[in-house]
Structure formats: structure tokens, C-alpha cells
Amino acid sequence: MNADELRTRQAPLKQQYREQPETAKTRARAEGRLDLDRLGCVVSTWKGDTLAGLHPATGGDGSMACSGDMLLEALVACAGVTLAAVATAMRVPLRGGRIIAEGAWDARGTLGVDRQAPVGLTSIHLSFELDTDAPSEQVQRLVETTERYCVIFQTLRNPPQLSMSHRRIGADAAGS
């Protein structure tokens, strides 16, 4: 897709969102099913089911996807798509590239070994390796614009309000 095709696709959406801002509110949803035999969760994705399980640092054998890795994969995917779209719109000539997300976490927190140890990723670094002859200033602007419009990067930078709920299902649920 070239810049003109991208603008043509996005123009009616942008106009609609300017005129009717409420139509820009978009819902996202993910769902999974417990796999108690393997201490896992089967996550439904557009490509099919993914079995997530314990990371080897917490007792897993490495045969199942790690949720922390999946979070980094979502960041890489979003940054890659955003960068490709921004490069197209800015007419930055790219021949290819790689996006790498690396994170760190302390397994003591999630295992309850040390109550002072944090649970979850405590640092994430995103880097781009871009095959381009574009001037450095243009590449810098490309990366800064990608940072600005990458949904997952901005979600991690400015965390949303989180909530959690539960409900009982099955035979015993009616009596509780």
C-alpha cells in the first residue's frame, strides 16, 4: 500500500470521527478457557488457539506461551504496524526492519517468595532496526511518531483504569 492508498482508506474514517467522535470509541476483547490439566489457559486468537502456561522461571517447562512474552509480542506487533503505516504516510523509504521488545521481571514476586519483590514486568525496552537510506532526522521523526501513535506503547506508558470481577457458573452457582 502506498501513501495515497492509505490516505484514501483513512480519510472517511477520520472525517467520521471528527464529525461523530463517539463512533471512534472502539472495544477490544480477549477470551480464554482454563486448561486445568496443564495449569494453562487456552486463549482464542484470530489465528487460532494459543495455550498459555507457566514460564520456566515459575515452574513451567517452556512448552506453552508465556503471558509476559505475549505482552511483548503485542507491543512488537503494534509498533511494527504503526511504524509501517507512519513510514508509508511520511513516504520514508524502508526496505525492511526488525522490532525488538525486551522486558525484565522478578520471579520472586509472582511466586510469593519475597513480598517486597514486584509482580510483573518492571522494565520494557523497545528498539527498531531499520533498513533505510532516509536521513537520520526523518528516521528520528518516524520513530517519535510511531511512539506517539502506537496503542500498546501508549497503553503501557499511561496505564488504563483496571478492574476485575468474577461470577460463579455451573451447578453450584445457583445456590451461592
Side-chain angles (χ1 to χ4, degrees):
M1 181 179 315
N2 65 37
D4 294 332
E5 292 168 330
L6 180 60
R7 282 187 182 86
T8 299
R9 278 193 187 186
Q10 291 181 340
L13 294 170
K14 288 181 176 185
Q15 181 177 347
Q16 175 185 328
Y17 299 155
R18 283 186 192 100
E19 294 172 0
Q20 301 170 340
E22 69 281 359
T23 65
K25 302 288 185 187
T26 305
R27 301 205 48 91
R29 186 172 196 277
E31 186 172 324
R33 299 178 315 281
L34 292 176
D35 183 332
L36 299 174
D37 292 335
R38 295 185 279 188
L39 295 181
C41 181
V42 180
V43 181
S44 301
T45 73
W46 70 272
K47 184 86 172 172
D49 290 343
T50 297
L51 179 60
L54 294 172
H55 187 279
T58 62
D61 64 8
S63 65
M64 294 182 265
C66 166
S67 302
D69 291 341
M70 292 169 73
L71 177 70
L72 296 177
E73 290 163 357
L75 175 59
V76 164
C78 188
V81 168
T82 303
L83 183 124
V86 171
T88 299
M90 291 175 53
R91 292 182 166 87
V92 176
L94 291 178
R95 288 181 294 275
R98 291 186 340 144
I99 299 93
I100 302 145
E102 297 176 292
W105 57 284
D106 187 335
R108 296 175 304 158
T110 195
L111 286 175
V113 170
D114 180 348
R115 288 180 121 3
Q116 302 305 312
V119 176
L121 291 165
T122 55
S123 66
I124 297 174
H125 179 74
L126 184 66
S127 61
F128 299 93
E129 296 175 352
L130 303 174
D131 185 3
T132 182
D133 294 325
S136 295
E137 304 79 31
Q138 191 177 33
V139 173
Q140 182 64 33
R141 185 167 163 249
L142 169 63
V143 171
E144 289 170 356
T145 306
T146 297
E147 177 182 332
R148 167 73 177 94
Y149 294 110
C150 177
V151 171
I152 303 300
F153 189 91
Q154 289 301 324
T155 299
L156 292 169
R157 172 171 277 159
N158 305 295
Q161 291 182 1
L162 294 174
S163 62
M164 189 180 290
S165 66
H166 73 278
R167 68 183 178 97
R168 293 177 52 147
I169 59 172
D172 292 350
S176 37

